[in-house]
Amino acid sequence: MRIAILEDDPDQLALLRRWITDDGHDVHAYVSGREAMKQAGRESFDLFMLDWQVPDVSGAEVLMWLRANASKSVPVLFVTLRDSEQDIVFALEHGADDYMVKPVRRQELLARVHALLRRAYPSEEKKQLSFPPYEIDIQRNEIRKDGNKIDLTPKEFELTVALFRNIGRLMSRGHLQESVCGRSGDLATRTVDTHVSQVRKKLDLRPETGYRVVPIYNYGYRLEKITPG
């Protein structure tokens, strides 16, 4: 999963980054609230981890900006020194999903992250995805349409899985790139467009078949299910 961390303390940031990366996630770290908001306007993330006291724009202000401008549903976890009941209540009532007071323990942090991700993205746990007429077998790396297997490259398969697991959600090109290759992958973001085009063609994703891939200029793509009129 793609996780954004807002934390200005270098030691704390290095620790959180290591824990989250070792858990198998792609981490994007920001040391100022303004930079975090800037990137959140350009890119999509699966979870935000926010410190409260950071330069220029506080974590609380970032939270309210995220809920008003970026996403009302992406999980937000506060990891901060601020421990007053008033602060905790403020964060939760303004859209935070969980709140941890430093110092945090590794296993507890990861357990809370896992819980937030499970609730927000339940299909991530599934090995069989059914979106008639498409059936996706994650373990066999197979996709069938009306029972017929569709021939996809490994990258096209991973891209298809990412789109269907996030159906209805706007995904940035960078997010899709990492879903396919990880941060160290060799798939340039500009070639994401080519892979999306191939997936659309091979799966015949168009309104007549019940799904369409909607391009968002200068941002990314959203797979939508079409409800018959």
Side-chain angles (χ1 to χ4, degrees):
M1 304 295 272
R2 199 182 206 208
I3 296 178
I5 300 178
L6 172 61
E7 171 61 66
D8 67 319
D9 179 87
D11 293 335
Q12 182 72 12
L13 178 57
L15 184 66
L16 292 174
R17 184 199 290 269
R18 184 170 73 250
W19 288 353
I20 299 300
T21 301
D22 288 349
D23 197 48
H25 306 287
D26 295 311
V27 174
H28 292 251
Y30 307 106
V31 297
S32 78
R34 199 173 304 281
E35 180 63 19
M37 291 191 300
K38 179 180 178 182
Q39 293 304 317
R42 296 175 174 177
E43 294 284 344
S44 55
F45 297 95
D46 297 309
L47 181 143
F48 289 91
M49 190 178 299
L50 305 180
D51 188 11
W52 192 306
Q53 295 169 284
V54 293
D56 62 48
V57 178
S58 73
E61 292 174 288
V62 172
L63 167 66
M64 291 186 287
W65 184 91
L66 288 172
R67 290 306 185 224
N69 299 280
S71 173
K72 296 190 184 328
S73 59
V74 172
V76 174
L77 166 63
F78 264 89
V79 180
T80 177
L81 284 169
R82 296 177 67 129
D83 62 354
S84 75
E85 181 181 21
Q86 182 179 359
D87 289 337
I88 297 171
V89 169
F90 179 93
L92 295 175
E93 288 189 341
H94 285 80
D97 297 278
D98 202 351
Y99 196 105
M100 298 184 71
V101 177
K102 298 176 184 175
V104 297
R105 294 170 294 189
R106 179 178 182 273
Q107 291 302 325
E108 182 184 359
L109 174 73
L110 294 179
R112 289 175 184 252
V113 167
H114 295 165
L116 291 173
L117 292 175
R118 278 198 306 271
R119 287 199 294 269
Y121 314 103
S123 69
E124 284 292 324
E125 303 291 320
K126 297 179 181 178
K127 299 302 181 183
Q128 301 278 342
L129 302 178
S130 180
F131 295 90
Y134 304 99
E135 301 294 329
I136 303 175
D137 188 323
I138 308 297
Q139 292 179 313
R140 293 186 177 183
N141 290 349
E142 290 183 358
I143 297 180
R144 296 181 180 274
K145 179 187 177 186
D146 294 321
N148 300 309
K149 183 179 177 181
I150 299 174
D151 186 23
L152 299 176
T153 68
K155 286 185 174 63
E156 290 168 352
F157 177 82
E158 293 298 332
L159 181 59
T160 300
V161 171
L163 289 171
F164 273 98
R165 274 183 165 162
N166 292 278
I167 193 164
R169 180 184 173 201
L170 179 56
M171 304 282 284
S172 68
R173 284 179 176 83
H175 199 158
L176 290 171
Q177 175 198 11
E178 288 178 15
S179 296
V180 174
C181 292
R183 296 203 66 181
S184 60
D186 59 359
L187 179 63
T189 53
R190 65 181 178 275
T191 64
V192 168
D193 298 332
T194 302
H195 283 75
V196 170
S197 178
Q198 286 296 105
V199 165
R200 180 194 284 123
K201 180 179 179 180
K202 290 184 177 182
L203 271 67
D204 194 26
L205 295 172
R206 53 194 175 90
E208 289 78 7
T209 58
Y211 299 89
R212 66 180 177 188
V213 178
V214 179
I216 306 300
Y217 177 73
N218 214 27
Y219 189 90
Y221 296 90
R222 178 172 56 238
L223 178 63
E224 296 180 345
K225 181 174 176 58
I226 306 300
T227 302

